[in-house]
Structure formats: structure tokens, C-alpha cells
Amino acid sequence: MNSSVMAIILALCEAVRRGTPLLLGTTGEILNEKSGSLNLGVEGTMAVGAITGALLGLSTSNMFLALLGAFVGGMFCGLIYAFLTITLKANQNVTGLAITIFGGGLCMFVGETLKSTGKFPSYTTEFFAEITGGGIPLLKDIPYIGQLLFSYNALVYIAIVIALIVWIYITKTKSGLRMRAAGENPAAADSVGINVDAERYKNIVIGSGIMGLGGVYMALFINNGLWNTDWINGYGWIAVALVIFSNWSSARAIWGSYVFGLLLALKSRMPSLASAFPSVLSWSTAIPTEVFDALPFIVTMLVLIISSMRKNKNTGCPTGLGLNYFREER
Amino acid sequence: MTKTNKDPLIKISKRQNLALRYKLLLTVGAILLSLVLGGILLACLGYNPVKFYTEMLMGNFKNASYLKLMIRALIPLLITSLGVSLAFKMRFWNIGGEGQFIIGAIIAMTFSLLIGDSLPSPLGAIVVVILGTLGGGLYALFVAVLKVRFNTNETLMTLMLNYVALYIASYMLKTDFFALQGQGVPSFKVIAESLWLTEINIGKFSFDTALFIAVALTIILFVYFRQSKQGYELNVVGDSPNTAKYAGMKVNKIVLRTMFLSGAIIGMAGALKLCGSSAGHTFSANISGGVGWTSIIVAWLAKLNPVGILVASLLMSILERGCSFARTSLGISDAMSDVLQGIILFTVLASDFFINYKVSFRKKVKDAVTAQASGDAADDDKNASVTAVQIDDGIQTDSQTMTQSTDVVSDIPAGESTTDISASENPVEANQERPSADDNNVTEATANDPADETPQPVTEAAETKEEKEAVVENVAPEVVTDTVSSVEEKAATTKKTTAKKADNAAKTSRSKKSDDKKTSSPKSAKSPAKKAATDVKAAASKPSTKKTASSANKTKSTQTKKNGKGGNDNE
Amino acid sequence: MTNVVEIRNLTKTFGEVVANNKVRLDLRQGEILALLGENGSGKTTLMNMLSGIYHPDSGDIFIGGKKVVIHSPEEAKRLGIGMVHQHFKLIDTLTAADNIWMGTEYEPFHLDEKLAFADECNPCDSSDPAELRAQKFRRFKTRLKLRLYALKYKLGAFISGQPLKKSRFDRIDKITRDFGFELDSRKRVCDMAVSEKQTCEIIKVLFYGANILILDEPTAVLTTQEIQKLFATMRRMKERGCSIVIITHKLNEVLEISDRVAIMRKGEYITTVDTKDANEQILTELMVGEKVELHIDRPKTDFDRPLLEIRNLTVKNDEGSVAIDDMSFYIRGGEMLGVAGISGCGQKELCEAIAGLRKIESGEINHKGQSLIGLPPKKIIEMGISMSFIPEDRLGMGLAPSMSITDNMMLKTYSEGKFNPFVNRKKARERAKQLISALNIVTPSTETPVRRLSGGNVQKVLVGREIESSPNVIITAYPVRGLDINSSYAIYDILNEQKKNGVGILFVGEELDVMLALCDKIMVICHGKLMGVVHAEKATKEQLGLMMTGALDLKIENAKPYGIAKDSNITEKEAHDDKNE
């Protein structure tokens, strides 16, 4: 009994951990898309955030600085994207892809270069402990529940808080209202005096910063502190699909990302689940791990197909998504 | 409040067209710029950029074997880019190059292992490649069907399929069918020799068969785009789907067909690589080598032109191979090629802006004779002098606007004065403090009052003109001195207060002082006064003369105007 | 009377098209000015420049006697200019209240005055240098404190303005009532009726303190009662001191509501008259210009049996409302039938329906007795029915803009040659060359992309291509729009040629002079309904104008059914009279 419950709890914990970068990426992308720009550079932004955050954090052994560095790195990518698409009116799809390629390359390049020259900062023991440990001190010792709810790293909770703040910002504040207006119908917003370009710049840059946080989480925390200059490996694209899945609401994205996190977690957690519930899940041992790898992507595809079939008028999708606004356009 | 009454500093307008040589120049310039930026990045990390770039070039041209490596990198990139461009031309964002490539290779691998030695070479190879092509095509067709039926986002779908293909490939490594197990690390089986694509020898050099196929494909696609019926349809659909429908084309069919071809070509690239010697005639999970991503850059760089794609693929292959070589010789990570590619794409996107839009700058007010930068032949003379006068007088007439607006606004209940509801408005108190200014407003208004709108005979207009000049004469001293004094004041006060329009309190102090100045400096005011007077007169008279002319001509020359201009009706 | 708005020499060009040419306009304080003009006269462009959406190429705008440059709608708003556009600028998914107030800012701090006041309180006029220094220092401190306070104020205002209070709905409701309107501020725009949306727009501009109101064709979407309500609103606003510009082409409304009327024609300003001195005749004359002797040929041809017959046609537009309402008419071979009507009265939908590009709700379209309904364009061609459609949207529909003249020539014929996978460019190029010389098309070469050609030449390419296929019915919409005199005459000649060959032509146009001279008969549409068909020789412009605005309905006047031919190819149970004047 104990072991089966533990298996479930461990799986759920892993789901939360895997879901957190998704949540951060999705929240950042929601900010981007709600203001009207389809930012496909999530992967690259997360990668750049990862490397800047990791470097800053490891060299100073300070978690806060790691997060700060990641945020700034993300903002940098966002700034490039915003400048190209807003001021220079470039095609949003291609620009996003350019950011992906550039960001990913930059992350690998800087990482590998520093590693090879030995200048890459390494973990101090305290920092390592800080990263691999975490959790709320007293509450995490509660049996089962403590493990499930309170044993996570600070960034997990920060991510939830950020998602909620963004949700409040979008739905309940005046700035969020103006931003939504700019994304829905830039011409109408312009006529009321809302500066469409400024709204987009703001939201793209901050959204990209949030994505950067997602990147550093993956780099530092997911592999339990074993840093490697690994590619984000598709998490960025899942985040873009998650935006559609959660209907452009970052509050819904919270549980959406954990669902996807569970899919991602199944890869490592399935065997223990199978052994805990042999009657139900014994067949699962025969499934190759690649299926679990591919599962999030397959589910994403299903989400895309189903949502495009529905043609729901009440989507949160801004009507002006992906279109550049040029006032004198005839 | 408005910052300035001048024209915007930077005006952006859409451009009609740009000669090809300028387009090329901009693109080449963009690429050079990106190399420079890359160099800066290298320098920041402690490397010597010049050395890096020379090594990069060397890595390709040092000797024949390096050249061969470069060509081996070129072939799949070229073919894939051609396939991608096919879809892009139709504005169908096929980002699934990676996936389609891998699927093509997988299918080819599957059938290679199935067929084995049974077919003579090169028949076997041909069959295998064709099957791989079909596989890639179907993989892309799937997405196209969804797009046509449900308008599913093709960018994300093709992306997801990339990963699915990747994981299928890595799974294959674990099977006995595809790979040799045991020996620690499993490795993929090598396909039968009869299926190998050997090299063709021309004189001293030996080239991969696939190279000829690639070049042939370039030519075929060039012809396809330009000469074939399907290519024509593709171009029309990509240019304007409405026009295609109007012409009776079946847009959906064309989309499906083109996506199939796009995926098929990319699949062929994968199959060719499998059968060719560059990959050792065997499969690997990494068989694509990132070509799906690079091909997008190549296609965009070449603006979807097959010949341009050939050149751009060459450029990118040199870049990639060079970076790989630089890694061995200089120890620089070969992720640098990704970085450089990204930067190139940025600069090319930026240069696209200058190709599509025209940026014009504001001309100084003094520069009134020449037309505006945008090339209009507008008559700026009158505008300039009027502007000069008006800007100086603007401060005085400010109150009039404010009086009006505040009157109306206070009438309309604008809610409680909470922060989020109240409309922004100018303070009311300023108006009461400037009695002197008000007089000028009245005269100012009359001075600028244009002639009546109703069509009047010429004589009446002449009268108005004289009238106006008389009015101006009477007013001149007051108006002028105030103008002059305000100009002096402006010079005296700080820049900030001058620039800001809602300068109410400052004017308060000024108008008090202006009374003093009036008596103290009549002499110095004279010559600028005269000029200002003539300016005001000129301003007043010029509009009226223009109107005189136009109102006189209106009734008579309607016909001539109409005939002369013909049908110039526009929205 | 002071002028609240003065426009002088305003010019705006879009590429090659001159939308406004040295236009002038005056708006007096507290008046309602009607801006009258036909389609394409440039009224909306002018007002768009006033409201900050477009930036003029040259010319000046004076507000309250002071020259301004309006960079953006925001600045127009601050100057007190509010425009209610023809196509509403509302955010569909938001409520009325949100749409209205979301552009507000907090009460400004007025830092400048406070600084100046501070300067006065801290005079720096001492003659003693030490004391002077002390005075300057005091001044500096005060200024610094003021600036910091301003910052704190801004931040506080910003933050406290953030939360979307529920009370905002009530506030907007109250304001709405104060203005004298009725609108549920909680309603989402997508759920609103058209007149409610317009009310929302009006409240929006009034909310921001607009005292210069611009209404762009406001009555186009309203019923008669709603129009009266709108007029009452306008008079109310006038009493409050607003100055209103109403852009319209409806003469009866102009006469009812306006104080003065400014007329524009073809991008030029004509004149302004007092409404009390005007009547429909005068206004029509000014609007369409005097009757000009156009030397357009009208060859006499023998009319054939009806080639194309339309019965009880009902077509919907893209938004779902009825565009063509139970219309019947016919075109004989060798006859040119003109279609007159205000822009948006349904001509576009009519043409598309006949050409097979738009779904038909009900009715019949018969070509020589054969029904065309439901057949795709290609099938129609196969049936031997050759119908050419020259659409109004030349570069968006009729031609592929980035492709060359040669490529566009073969738009409908490219699939010739059953087993040949290649297109025959040579043939197309030949045809293009012939066309270029026959019609004097100005172009660097046959391979120039058509979007680079000037408007007239684009049209020549389009018309030329359509004529090429030897159709027996030609439908053409605004064929000479934007063309200079010579090109226009060239087009008329082409059409006349076709007429002589027995082709039936449906000519949707906007210049009544031309249609009166060129067409044999003219039918007038108003709001999708047929107002009547007249012989061009006997008709007058005034008559057409009245029909276009719905003031004259010949069906009612003459009490005869229109649109059914005596010698119809469609077998009828009863015989109807042929349409006549």
C-alpha cells in the first residue's frame, strides 16, 4: 500500500517539476500572444535564459542572481524579437524561428566554449544543496502531503505565483485591458489612444523574461543539479501549444502544464508505477521509452487538431494575433 | 500634450518597388554585417575573429577532401531548401523539414533492409529512394489535409511531427530489425551494397551521385516554378488566393498537392543521404544534421528563388563545415554556426524592412523651398512663413483653444475626479490670468480669418484682402511686440519650458514682464517688428490670394479641371 | 463666428493615387457641417487626417486658429477631435464600458506650472553673490522636491488606477444617461446591434471631451427611427457647444440636419453653401458637377434577345445581411446596361453572384435560357457560355499583383493544352504585346509585375485580358475608376467594340455623366433594391441621383413591374410589359 501511494506521489512530484518550465514558458508566451504577437522563439529564449542564469548563478552561488540573470537573458531575446517585428515590421513566424536558432546556438556555444576552456563555473556544495533540496521547512515533513505539496524548489512556487499575477494582470487590471485591446484590434485600440507598439514591446520583453526563467529552471533544477548544456529539447514548442490548450489563460495553464508534465514524467516514472500497480499497468513495461518521449508531442497535436475543429467563438485567442500593425496601411 | 508642432521626425511609408541591384546590395550588406557581429561575439569570448574566419574558409578549400565534405553537407541542404521553398511560396509554413527528412530516411531504411540484395543495382537504390520520397510526401500531406479541412496551425503541427519522427528514429535503434544489438552500443545496420549510391567519376574528380540529383532538382524546380502549369497555379495561390479562386483554380487541391511535393522532396533528401556514402550508408538518429532548420534560413535568404537557394545553400554549407573545421583546429564550439546563422537571419530580416518601406526625415522649417523628403512637389513656401509666425503666436492662441475645450468639458459631467475615469484636460485657472493675451487672440483670429467660403466674384475677394491688410496694420505693433517679446522670453527661459506647450504659469510671469519690455525696447523691436509684420501680412494675404484665385476659377474652370484630370476619383 | 477647425491645402497621396488635392475646409464653432460628395471624392481620407490616422503629405490644419500637426489618434483626442468611423473601431470581446474608458489617463500633475510657481516663490534676484548662491540653492531644492513628488504621484495614480473596479459599469451608465443616451454598459460589443455599437462609439468620443465630432456615414446602418434619434442627439451636442462634421451622401439628411454643406469631388474641395440656401437640385449639381459634354460614342446596335436574365435574385453579403433583394433585370445582346448606385448598395455582390463567385440565396440567373446557378466558373466556360467579369478589386482579385503582365494574361487560359504540363508563355507574351500596343499601356516590359503599373494601366491589362476570351456577356465594375481621360476613352472604345459584336455588357459605374453618354439603359440600385431602369437618352442626372438615394422609385411611380423582358427566353406563365420609361 505504502509503495503504491509513494509511486503515485513521486510521479506527481515529477510531473510538477517537469511542468514548471512549461508553466513559465506558457505564461510568457501568453503575455506575448495576448498583445498580438506570435512569438515562436520560445525555445531560443529559454535557452538564452538558461545559460545566462546558470552562469550568473553558479559563479555567484546565489539563487536569486541566477533567476535575475535568466530574466535578463530572456528579456534580451524578447527585445530582439520585438524590435524586428514591431519597428522593422518583419514576418513574425520567421523572426521567431530565427530567435530559436540563434538562442539555441548561443546557449550551446557559450556553454561549450566555457566548458572546454574550463572556465565554466561549477557548483559549490552549498549551492548544490540549495538546488537539490528546497521545499518549505516544516511543512515538507508531513507524510505524503508534505512530499506532494511542499517539497519543491522555490522556483516551482514562484512559477505558480507568476502565473497567477499574470492572470490578474491580464484579466483584472486596466493595463491588461489595454494590452488585450491592442492584441484584439490594434486599429480600435489606436483610435482610443492606446500606444499599440508600446504595449507590444512591454509584453514581449517581460514575457520573454519569464520564459528565460523557465529555461534556467530546466538547466539547473531538472537534472537535479547536474548541469549540462543540453538543448531545451522541445519544451518550448510544447509551451506554445499549451497556450492554445489553456485557452490563453495563465491560470488554466497551471494545471495544463502539470498535465503535460505528467506526460513527460511518465518516461522515468512509469516503471515504478507499473511495479506498484501490476494488475493495471503491467503492460506498460513493454512500451518503449520513446513513446513516452513522443507522447507530449502527440498529445499536443491532438490538442491542436481538436481545438481547430471546434471553431469556438469564445476563444481567448486575440483576433489580431500574428499581424503587424501599420497605421497607414490602406 | 503634443510634443511639437513640427512634422514627425521619422516618417515611414510603404515603398512601391526597389531595383533588384539595391535589393541584392542590401542583402549582401546584411550578411557582411552579421559576420562582423559574429566577430564581435568571438572577440568578447577571447577569440580572434580574423583567425576564425580564415580557418572557416580554409576548412572548405584547403584540399579536395575538405571540398568533398563541404559538398556532402551541401547536398541535403540544397534539396531540403528546395522542398521548403515550395511550401513557403504558397505561404504555407512548413517547418517540418527535419521530420520529413528523417521519415524519408526511415522509410528508405526500412525498405532497404527488406529488399536487401534482391534487386540489382541501381534499380534497388532507385526503388528505395522513391519510397522514401513518398514517405516524406505523405508525412507532409497529413498536415496539409488538416489545414485545408480545419485550418489547423501548420507551423505547430509540422513542428510536433519533427519530434515524433525523431523519437521513432531513436526507437529504431533498439529494435533488432534496424540495428545490431549487443557489443555495448547498438549500431544501425548498413544497407546492402547493391543499394549504395556510388560516386560518379568525371575525369580526376569523383562526385556523389546525389550531387547530380540535387543540381538536377534545382533545375527541375526552376523550370517547375517558371514554366509549368502547376508552378503557375502555385504562384498565383501564393500571391493572392482570391485571384486564384476568381480564376477558377481549386485552391485546396493546389495546397495539398504542393505540400505533398514539398515533403516528398525533403523525404528524397533523407533517402539519398541514407543511400549515399556521406553517412556511411547507414541510418542514424542524427541523420538530418539539423538540415531542416538551416533550410528555412536558406529559403528565406534566397527569397524562395531556386538559383538563390543554390547560392545560399553553398554559403551555409561553407559556414557549417567551416565552423566544424574551426572546432578541430581552434577549439571553438561548432554551435557557432547556429549563432552565425541566427545573426544572418536577423540582419536579413532587418534589411527586408528597408526594402519594403521608405524612411523619410523631417525637413527643417527654414528649408521650405525644397519639397519634403518623400518626394512630393508640395508648395512649402507659404507653409513655412505661416508656420514661422504661427509657432511664435501659438502660445497666445493657446488660451483660446483651452477656453473652448474647458467650457465644453466642464459641461459634460466627466464623473468624479478619480484617477481612472477623468479625461485629461488643461487646467482652467490659467485662462483667467492672462487678460493681455486675450486681446491679441481676437485680432489674431481676424488676421487669419480666411475669405468666405461661398463662391464670390473676384471683386469682393479683393476687398477682403484690403480689409485684412488694414486690420493687420492696426494690430501690427501689439501683435509684433508681443511676438518679439515672447521670442525673447523663450530664449531666456530654459529649454524645457519652451518645449512644453502647457506652459501656462510661465506665460503668466512672461506676460507680466512683457508689459515692461514693451515700453523699454520699442527701438530694438522695430526691425524684427517690420519683418514680423510683413510675415503676418504675407501670411494673411497669401491664403486670401490663393482663395481668390481658386474661388474665382471654381465656377468657370470646373469643366476644364474635370476634363484635364479625368477620372481621378479615389477613396 | 470663429472657426474651430481650419484646413488649408491638405494633400494626401497613396502611391500614385491622389486622395486629397489641396483641400481646404472650415468648420465653425457650434455648427453642423455636412461633408458631401460621391464615392471616391476623398471625404473619409480628409477626416482621417483630422483624426490622426493618416498623416498629410502637405498642408496645414488649424485648431482654434492655431496650427497643429496631428501625429496620432491620441493627439487628435487631446485636441478635442473625436471621430466615429464608418467601420466601427470597437473591440468585440470587451464590454461597452471597457471600450469607452480604456483610453483614459490619470489627472496630470502639471509639473511645469508648479515648477514655475516655485520659481516665483524663490526669486533669484539678489545682488550679493553669497545671498544669490543661497537663493539658487533654495530654488534647486524646491524644484527637486517637486519633481520627486511628481514621480510619487504618477506612480500612485498608475497603481491605484489598475484594478478594474466593478463600479466602472455604473459610472459609464451614469455618464451615458447624462449624455442622453441609452446603453447597457455591461453588454459586450459582439452582442450588440449595429445602432447600439454606433451609440457606443459616440459616447466614446464624447467621453474624451470631444468638442469636434466627426461622423462618417452614420446613417448607413440605421433605420429611419434610429436616424431621427441620431439627429436629436446631434442637435443636443450642438447645444452643448460641439461642432459636428457629418460625412454623408444622402441629400435629404443633409438638408434636414446640417447648417452648412461642404462639397468635395474627386479629391478636390468644391465649395461650401449654407443649407438654407440649398436644395436637392443645387446640391446634386455641385456634387456631380455640371453636365459635361462628353464625346463618348454610343453606337446603335440591334438588340438581340435577352442574353442574360436575372429573376428575383436575392444575395447576401459577407456579414450575412441581404445585399441584393429580390431583383429582376435582363441584358440583351449588343446592349450596354449601366448599374448606378451608392457604393455599398450591393453592386459588388450582384456582380460576384452572376459571375459564379458568390452563393445565391434565391432567384434565377439564366444565360440564353440555361440556368447558371450553382455552377463553378470553369463549368460555365465549358458550357460554352463565355462570361467575363472585370472586378472592382483589380489587384486583389482580378490580377495577381506580384506577377507579370504576361502571367496575368493567361490567368484564365493557362490550362490550355490537355497533355502539356507547361504553360505557353510565348502565346501569352504575344497577346500581352498586342494588348500593350493596342491600348497604349505604359509599362517597362511585358514582364513587369502588375502592381508596379499605374492604376489606369492595371485596368487596361485587366480589361484587355477579359475581352480576349471573346465573351458574350461582360460584367464590369468601375472600369474607369482612377483612370486618366485617355485611358478612359480607350476603355469605352473597347466596350463599344464589344457591343457592336453583339456582346451584352453590365456596366457598374459611378460617374453618371459617363453612364448617361455610354450606356443604352441604366438601372439604379438602392440598398439592394431595384429602383428602376431608364433609357439613358431620356434620363437626367437628377433623376438618377434621386433614385440612387432612394427618393425616387420608378416601380412605384410607374406602377409597373420591371426587369422582365417581352421576348424572354424563360417561359413565363403571363406576359409582362417590357420595361420602359
Side-chain angles (χ1 to χ4, degrees), chain A:
Chain A
M1 176 57 197
N2 267 349
S3 64
S4 45
V5 173
M6 272 315 287
I8 296 181
I9 289 185
L10 283 176
L12 291 176
C13 286
E14 183 73 13
V16 168
R17 293 172 70 234
R18 298 248 165 206
T20 301
L22 288 181
L23 179 59
L24 288 166
T26 308
T27 308
E29 180 67 12
I30 287 178
L31 272 179
N32 271 281
E33 291 198 11
K34 270 293 192 183
S35 71
S37 76
L38 179 61
N39 188 345
L40 291 178
V42 189
E43 287 256 318
T45 314
M46 285 172 99
V48 170
I51 190 78
T52 48
L55 285 179
L56 197 56
L58 288 175
S59 50
T60 58
S61 285
N62 186 331
M63 181 116 96
F64 175 71
L65 284 181
L67 295 183
L68 187 65
F71 197 81
V72 170
M75 288 212 297
F76 169 67
C77 281
L79 201 58
I80 300 179
Y81 180 84
F83 179 67
L84 281 171
T85 49
I86 298 176
T87 310
L88 296 185
K89 308 192 201 304
N91 180 311
Q92 288 188 6
N93 285 334
V94 180
T95 311
L97 288 173
I99 298 266
T100 301
I101 297 173
F102 171 74
L106 189 66
C107 168
M108 294 261 270
F109 178 66
V110 172
E112 279 184 15
T113 311
L114 291 180
K115 271 245 168 102
S116 61
T117 57
K119 290 202 196 118
F120 200 90
S122 51
Y123 286 87
T124 57
T125 34
E126 308 91 35
F127 195 47
F128 191 82
E130 201 181 333
I131 289 182
T132 51
I136 306 177
L138 285 176
L139 294 170
K140 72 174 175 187
D141 293 322
I142 305 174
Y144 300 126
I145 308 274
Q147 174 92 343
L148 185 58
L149 293 179
F150 301 115
S151 63
Y152 303 113
N153 196 289
L155 194 51
V156 172
Y157 303 109
I158 293 177
I160 299 179
V161 169
I162 290 180
L164 289 173
I165 291 179
V166 167
W167 180 73
I168 293 176
Y169 166 69
I170 292 180
T171 52
K172 299 220 184 297
T173 68
K174 186 168 147 200
S175 310
L177 181 67
R178 291 164 70 108
M179 177 261 275
R180 272 189 282 149
E184 283 285 339
N185 189 344
D190 198 17
S191 73
V192 186
I194 295 177
N195 187 339
V196 174
D197 287 348
E199 290 292 332
R200 287 190 176 174
Y201 258 102
K202 250 183 1 200
N203 288 293
I204 292 176
V205 168
I206 296 188
S208 302
I210 298 178
M211 287 183 216
L213 289 178
V216 82
Y217 182 82
M218 287 192 64
L220 289 182
F221 302 98
I222 278 205
N223 299 313
N224 255 339
L226 291 172
W227 164 256
N228 50 9
T229 53
D230 235 291
W231 196 251
I232 306 290
N233 210 26
Y235 276 50
W237 302 117
I238 300 178
V240 180
L242 255 176
V243 171
I244 302 176
F245 184 71
S246 53
N247 203 16
W248 285 268
S249 153
S250 59
R252 272 214 210 144
I254 297 179
W255 73 265
S257 3
Y258 292 149
V259 166
F260 270 75
L262 183 61
L263 291 174
L264 290 165
L266 281 178
K267 176 176 170 185
S268 53
R269 289 277 118 205
M270 206 49 163
S272 62
L273 279 176
S275 59
F277 299 96
S279 47
V280 181
L281 292 173
S282 55
W283 48 265
S284 66
T285 46
I287 303 178
T289 52
E290 280 76 17
V291 172
F292 292 113
D293 278 323
L295 199 56
F297 300 101
I298 298 178
V299 172
T300 306
M301 284 202 292
L302 288 173
V303 165
L304 286 170
I305 299 174
I306 295 176
S307 65
S308 59
M309 276 166 60
R310 263 197 294 152
K311 286 187 225 188
N312 197 354
K313 243 202 193 178
N314 272 329
T315 55
C317 181
T319 323
L321 185 62
L323 302 169
N324 289 332
Y325 178 59
F326 182 42
R327 190 184 287 149
E328 294 222 1
E329 195 79 26
R330 263 207 125 198

Side-chain angles (χ1 to χ4, degrees), chain B residues 58-70:
Chain B
M58 287 285 280
N60 290 298
F61 300 111
K62 204 152 118 172
N63 56 36
S65 64
Y66 281 116
L67 199 60
K68 200 172 202 177
L69 281 175
M70 194 269 285

